[in-house]
């Protein structure tokens, strides 16, 4: 074993209680950092998975026409006045088939599906309720959403087999007391059509579950009197993170507005981001405090070992040996703290993932959602390393600066 | 006998401002291998200050120190440390053993730094030194589990660990009773004569000083005679 390491270890063990306090601080600091990140990012990832599964990674919505963007200030003048709102939007997608063909030329696109959206009155069991019928091509739509995984009662097959079958949101079905095989009326454009409930779906997003009804595209065209076109085209991509660049590239090509999921869900994503940063900063204070504890422990060891430092210097140990001996003590506690902190974090995160908790509103879960990510562990280790490294460096430098002659002179009678 | 240590016109001031004291005044001396030397004087005469300069634990304000023929004035801190490791051994009034290490480990600490011997050789050498000071049966005892006299004998063995040319001792018997003081001095004197080290001891005990081969009396920073 390296002599400096051996001396550092023995010095450290001579102050077991103080060392254990510092170690505990690092273990809890590293552990809680990872646990909070695992939870916040876990819920964030689950939220993203939910909204991608419901509303897709990107949507092609309204067609736009460029109108006059600037006008000459005066006849013959080179000065031009730029005009705001120079783009005119036309609601919906007029030629969805052509747009979908064009979109499939982009290598990032894995699937696209047209949707017709409208408003209707749902009548069932002597009750009435406003709802949002969504006309879909089931085969295509399952490729751009997780609707097939969201059905909690009834079945997708029943929906696919029955041209007048509908899938009703869980909150809406509960309010209207609807179960699979029940019939309902949808009233729109002054006429009514009867449908059969094939299934009930739950996304966890309250706004969706309390008003949305999926019906076949052809049935929706009849109900909403839209024989052609689509309200929007929902798109799935290879990489959800590329949605903003893809949208920016696609928009000018097809002259339709293209909304990425990041833009659409910006508010919630910001909330999760702020929560993650805030929890990371809060928990980092534990590591900071443990760093101060480490600083105190090392200062106490140095005060206690001043004579030993002097004798080591007199025996041929250089200033850098002394720095190394005290830095090593900090690094030993740091290393042990990181390993134990990781173990504590992993076991607690696993325990949390089994903890029952019912959440509905922006997603649906019956247990804590955690995200196992290596970067959380590496970040916690990096923060602890910086803080403990600084906490160990200054006392170590002070120890190295001790003049052996001064120490020994002060000890003699 | 060869001269292993030589100083010329050493001057050292201690303190700052009004408290500044001229602790050493033009001190010149020589120490020979295989001889025992005593620096004697009253408290405050500058004898310990001189010893720390000879041991390269402090730097003179003027004057030169040569150790084994090498001038030390221009050496860097690391070079002076290396020279301490190779050529100098220290015994202090307080033993300064590292209490977390055993007697044998305390002796091997300077050897490990020098890196001249293998692990096995260091152990054998350490045991030999413990045998020389009569403590071979206490090799595994921690520093603080030895008596005061035993600790000082381990400190002597440690000072001899790297076979230094010069053995410096600052009041090595100052913290011991009469019987142990005699025993420690006899041991140091015997080892020095047998091994050929130059032994330089600071003491205010005139009886012990008279038993040395050479005596350097000091007063108010001057070396007399």
């Amino acid at each position: 074993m390296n002599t400096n390491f051996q001396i550092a270890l023995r010095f450290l063990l001579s102050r077991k209680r103080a060392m254990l306090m510092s170690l505990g601080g690092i273990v809890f600091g590293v552990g809680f950092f990872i646990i909070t990140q695992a939870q916040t990012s876990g819920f964030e990832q689950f939220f993203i998975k939910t909204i991608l599964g419901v509303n897709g990674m990107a949507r092609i919505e309204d067609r736009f026409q460029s109108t006059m963007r600037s006008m000459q200030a005066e006849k013959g003048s080179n000065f031009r006045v730029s005009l705001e709102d120079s783009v005119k939007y036309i609601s919906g997608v007029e030629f969805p088939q052509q747009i979908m063909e064009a979109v499939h030329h982009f290598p990032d696109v894995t699937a696209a599906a047209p949707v017709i959206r409208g408003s209707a009155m749902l009548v069932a069991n002597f009750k009435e309720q406003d709802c949002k019928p969504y006309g879909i091509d089931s085969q295509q739509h399952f490729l751009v959403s997780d609707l097939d995984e969201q059905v909690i009662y009834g079945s997708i097959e029943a929906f696919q087999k029955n041209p007048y079958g509908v899938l009703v949101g869980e909150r809406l079905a509960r309010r209207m007391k609807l179960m699979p095989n029940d019939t309902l009326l949808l009233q729109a454009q002054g006429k009514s059509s009867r449908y059969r409930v094939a299934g009930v779906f739950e996304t966890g997003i309250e706004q969706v579950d309390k008003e949305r009804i999926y019906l076949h595209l052809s049935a929706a065209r009849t109900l909403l009197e839209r024989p052609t076109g689509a309200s929007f085209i929902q798109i799935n991509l290879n990489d959800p993170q590329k949605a903003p660049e893809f949208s920016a590239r696609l928009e000018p090509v097809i002259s339709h507005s293209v909304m990425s999921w990041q833009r659409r869900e910006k508010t919630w994503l910001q909330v999760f981001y702020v929560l993650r940063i805030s929890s990371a900063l809060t928990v980092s204070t534990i590591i900071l405090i443990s760093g101060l504890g480490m600083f105190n422990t090392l200062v106490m060891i140095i005060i206690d070992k001043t004579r030993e430092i002097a004798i080591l210097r007199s025996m041929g140990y250089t200033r850098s040996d002394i720095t190394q001996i005290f830095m090593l003590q900090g690094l030993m506690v740091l290393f042990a703290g990181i390993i134990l902190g990781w173990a504590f974090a992993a076991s607690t995160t696993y325990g949390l993932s089994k903890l029952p908790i019912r959440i509905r509103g922006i997603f649906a879960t019956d247990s804590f959602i955690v995200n196992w990510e290596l970067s959380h562990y590496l970040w916690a280790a990096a923060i602890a390393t910086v803080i403990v490294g600084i906490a160990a460096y200054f006392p170590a430098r002070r120890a190295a600066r001790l003049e052996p002659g001064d120490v020994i002179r002060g000890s003699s009678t | 006998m060869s001269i292993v240590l030589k100083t010329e016109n050493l001057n050292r001031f201690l303190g700052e401002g009004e408290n500044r004291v001229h602790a050493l005044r033009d001190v010149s001396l020589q120490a020979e291998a295989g001889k025992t030397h005593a620096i004697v004087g009253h408290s405050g005469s500058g004898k310990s200050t001189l010893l720390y300069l000879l041991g390269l634990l402090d730097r003179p304000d003027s004057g030169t120190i040569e150790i084994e023929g090498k001038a030390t004035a221009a050496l860097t801190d690391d070079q002076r440390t290396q020279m301490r490791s190779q050529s100098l051994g220290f015994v202090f009034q307080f033993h300064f053993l590292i209490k977390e290490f055993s007697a044998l480990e305390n002796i091997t600490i300077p050897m490990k730094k020098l890196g001249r011997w293998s692990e096995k050789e260091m152990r054998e050498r350490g045991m030999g030194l413990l045998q020389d000071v009569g403590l071979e049966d206490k090799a595994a005892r921690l520093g603080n589990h030895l008596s005061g006299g035993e600790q000082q004998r381990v400190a002597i063995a440690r000072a001899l660990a790297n076979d230094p040319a010069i053995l410096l001792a600052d009041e090595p018997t100052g913290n011991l009773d009469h019987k142990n003081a005699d025993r420690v001095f006899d041991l140091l004197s015997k080892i020095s004569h047998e091994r050929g080290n130059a032994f330089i001891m600071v003491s205010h005990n005139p009886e012990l000083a008279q038993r040395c081969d050479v005596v350097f009396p000091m007063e108010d920073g001057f070396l007399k005679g």
Side-chain angles (χ1 to χ4, degrees):
Chain A
M1 195 190 293
N2 174 281
T3 315
N4 289 353
F5 183 84
Q6 201 177 2
I7 296 170
L9 184 63
R10 301 276 179 99
F11 279 5
L12 192 62
L13 292 175
S14 72
R15 285 219 167 243
K16 283 196 192 76
R17 192 178 296 173
M19 185 269 290
L20 285 173
M21 292 287 282
S22 306
L23 178 66
I26 296 167
V27 170
F28 286 119
V30 167
F32 284 131
F33 182 93
I34 295 166
I35 294 162
T36 52
Q37 291 303 298
Q39 285 175 63
T40 49
S41 70
F43 282 119
E44 183 183 15
Q45 295 300 316
F46 193 68
F47 167 74
I48 291 169
K49 184 183 179 306
T50 302
I51 56 113
L52 294 185
V54 175
N55 294 328
M57 296 179 192
R59 276 184 180 182
I60 299 169
E61 292 180 300
D62 304 331
R63 183 163 66 89
F64 57 75
Q65 281 182 333
S66 293
T67 56
M68 193 165 55
R69 293 182 180 180
S70 63
M71 62 184 284
Q72 219 168 13
E74 195 181 11
K75 194 175 179 184
S77 167
N78 286 330
F79 184 72
R80 299 185 77 80
V81 178
S82 69
L83 299 172
E84 297 293 332
D85 302 325
S86 56
V87 178
K88 181 185 172 189
Y89 287 95
I90 298 154
S91 179
V93 181
E94 203 173 350
F95 302 105
Q97 205 53 43
Q98 286 92 322
I99 295 291
M100 281 168 56
E101 279 170 22
V103 161
H104 276 296
H105 284 100
F106 283 77
D108 297 333
V109 175
T110 58
V115 178
I116 291 177
R117 180 178 51 193
S119 296
M121 179 68 74
L122 190 158
V123 182
N125 296 323
F126 308 106
K127 291 180 179 181
E128 291 182 350
Q129 177 73 38
D130 287 330
C131 68
K132 301 267 184 216
Y134 275 58
I136 58 168
D137 177 320
S138 60
Q139 288 298 343
Q140 285 180 320
H141 199 77
F142 295 158
L143 299 174
V144 296
S145 75
D146 295 332
L147 182 59
D148 49 336
E149 296 167 15
Q150 290 160 352
V151 173
I152 53 172
Y153 304 119
S155 70
I156 283 293
E157 290 74 26
F159 174 68
Q160 286 177 313
K161 280 178 192 166
N162 185 351
Y164 291 98
V166 292
L167 296 170
V168 185
E170 188 269 338
R171 291 282 301 273
L172 184 60
R174 192 146 44 95
R175 185 175 289 182
M176 301 301 288
K177 300 189 187 311
L178 288 169
M179 288 303 285
N181 290 323
D182 289 351
T183 58
L184 56 86
L185 277 176
L186 289 177
Q187 296 175 343
Q189 316 295 332
K191 60 180 184 179
S192 297
S193 300
R194 184 169 295 276
Y195 302 89
R196 186 171 293 277
V197 178
V200 175
F201 66 90
E202 184 182 36
T203 64
I205 304 171
E206 189 178 356
Q207 201 59 36
V208 172
D209 292 345
K210 78 176 188 186
E211 64 179 21
R212 196 174 292 188
I213 286 186
Y214 287 106
L215 53 159
H216 290 282
L217 196 61
S218 53
R221 289 196 188 287
T222 308
L223 175 70
L224 302 170
E225 294 184 347
R226 286 193 63 170
T228 59
S231 303
F232 60 87
I233 294 169
Q234 193 158 313
I235 290 172
N236 204 41
L237 304 170
N238 282 324
D239 181 0
Q241 299 308 322
K242 288 184 179 169
E245 300 109 83
F246 166 78
S247 304
R249 277 206 328 270
L250 186 63
E251 256 190 16
V253 176
I254 59 172
S255 295
H256 281 68
S257 75
V258 183
M259 179 88 83
S260 67
W261 64 273
Q262 288 94 336
R263 208 169 108 205
R264 193 177 67 219
E265 308 295 343
K266 193 176 175 183
T267 311
W268 277 110
L269 292 175
Q270 287 286 319
V271 169
F272 280 112
Y273 178 72
V274 169
L275 267 177
R276 279 182 66 187
I277 298 295
S278 157
S279 62
L281 287 175
T282 308
V283 175
S284 293
T285 56
I286 299 176
I287 304 178
L288 186 69
I289 291 165
S290 68
L292 290 174
M294 191 69 235
F295 179 86
N296 278 338
T297 305
L298 284 177
V299 167
M300 281 192 292
I301 291 174
I302 288 163
I303 292 168
D304 191 39
K305 300 293 179 194
T306 305
R307 286 178 177 188
E308 282 82 351
I309 294 166
I311 199 72
L312 284 170
R313 293 278 289 121
S314 77
M315 289 190 300
Y317 284 76
T318 60
R319 289 187 198 280
S320 43
D321 285 323
I322 303 298
T323 305
Q324 201 180 73
I325 286 168
F326 286 93
M327 283 297 288
L328 276 171
Q329 292 176 58
L331 293 179
M332 280 181 222
V333 176
L334 172 72
F335 184 72
I338 288 173
I339 298 296
L340 292 173
W342 281 354
F344 168 64
S347 54
T348 310
T349 304
Y350 179 77
L352 276 176
S353 71
K354 303 291 171 198
L355 201 68
I357 181 173
R358 185 178 160 82
I359 299 175
R360 297 292 185 277
I362 54 171
F363 46 69
T365 178
D366 294 318
S367 66
F368 256 82
I369 306 291
V370 294
N371 182 26
W372 296 91
E373 204 165 301
L374 182 64
S375 67
H376 299 157
Y377 289 74
L378 296 179
W379 267 111
I383 292 169
T385 303
V386 169
I387 292 174
V388 177
I390 292 169
Y393 174 72
F394 288 101
R397 200 176 64 161
R398 181 183 152 179
R401 281 181 177 173
L402 284 174
E403 288 297 339
D406 293 344
V407 175
I408 294 162
R409 189 180 286 122
S411 308
S412 301
T413 53
Chain B
M1 285 290 177
S2 61
I3 292 165
V4 289
L5 189 147
K6 185 177 168 187
T7 73
E8 275 185 14
N9 301 319
L10 283 185
N11 280 282
R12 181 74 175 109
F13 295 88
L14 294 176
E16 298 289 330
E18 288 179 1
N19 297 322
R20 192 170 163 83
V21 176
H22 198 167
L24 289 181
R25 299 162 189 260
D26 297 320
V27 173
S28 300
L29 60 80
Q30 293 181 349
E32 290 178 39
K35 280 194 175 178
T36 55
H37 308 74
I39 302 169
V40 291
H42 296 296
S43 188
S45 60
K47 54 188 189 304
S48 289
T49 303
L50 175 60
L51 193 83
Y52 301 144
L53 289 180
L54 301 181
L56 307 183
L57 296 174
D58 196 5
R59 284 181 187 267
D61 292 300
S62 67
T64 59
I65 302 169
E66 279 182 22
I67 291 174
E68 294 187 289
K70 290 175 200 158
T72 61
L75 296 182
T76 63
D77 193 68
D78 279 358
Q79 287 168 328
R80 288 158 67 84
T81 306
Q82 177 68 13
M83 190 170 266
R84 280 201 296 271
S85 177
Q86 285 174 342
S87 306
L88 300 166
F90 293 88
V91 180
F92 298 101
Q93 181 178 357
F94 296 98
H95 52 81
F96 287 170
L97 293 186
I98 300 176
K99 66 182 182 194
E100 290 81 11
F101 288 82
S102 70
L104 180 62
E105 286 171 333
N106 263 285
I107 296 167
T108 57
I109 286 173
M111 290 192 240
K112 284 179 176 172
K113 183 63 205 170
L114 188 63
R116 190 183 288 166
W117 299 286
S118 69
E119 193 70 35
K120 188 175 170 243
E121 285 169 334
M122 285 191 282
R123 280 188 69 80
E124 285 171 359
R125 194 174 159 72
M127 284 306 292
L129 287 164
L130 279 174
Q131 203 169 358
D132 287 348
V133 297
L135 289 171
E136 68 273 25
D137 56 332
K138 292 181 178 173
R141 285 220 189 155
L142 289 177
N144 54 354
H145 290 172
L146 297 165
S147 70
E150 287 171 341
Q151 288 180 0
Q152 195 60 305
R153 278 148 65 197
V154 173
I156 292 167
R158 183 179 63 186
L160 294 164
N162 290 348
D163 199 15
I166 302 155
L167 188 59
L168 300 165
D170 186 8
E171 303 277 9
T173 60
N175 205 31
L176 301 174
D177 57 41
H178 189 72
K179 189 179 159 195
N180 267 314
D182 267 356
R183 195 171 172 191
V184 164
F185 177 80
D186 289 344
L187 182 65
L188 282 165
S189 181
K190 178 174 161 266
I191 286 170
S192 174
H193 286 123
E194 282 177 6
R195 291 173 176 259
N197 315 105
F199 173 50
I200 304 170
M201 174 184 76
V202 159
S203 178
H204 56 243
N205 183 340
E207 282 177 40
L208 284 183
Q210 290 310 315
R211 288 160 67 184
C212 288
D213 301 323
V214 182
V215 178
F216 299 115
M218 285 200 73
E219 195 174 300
D220 296 332
F222 289 105
L223 202 62
K224 289 169 40 179

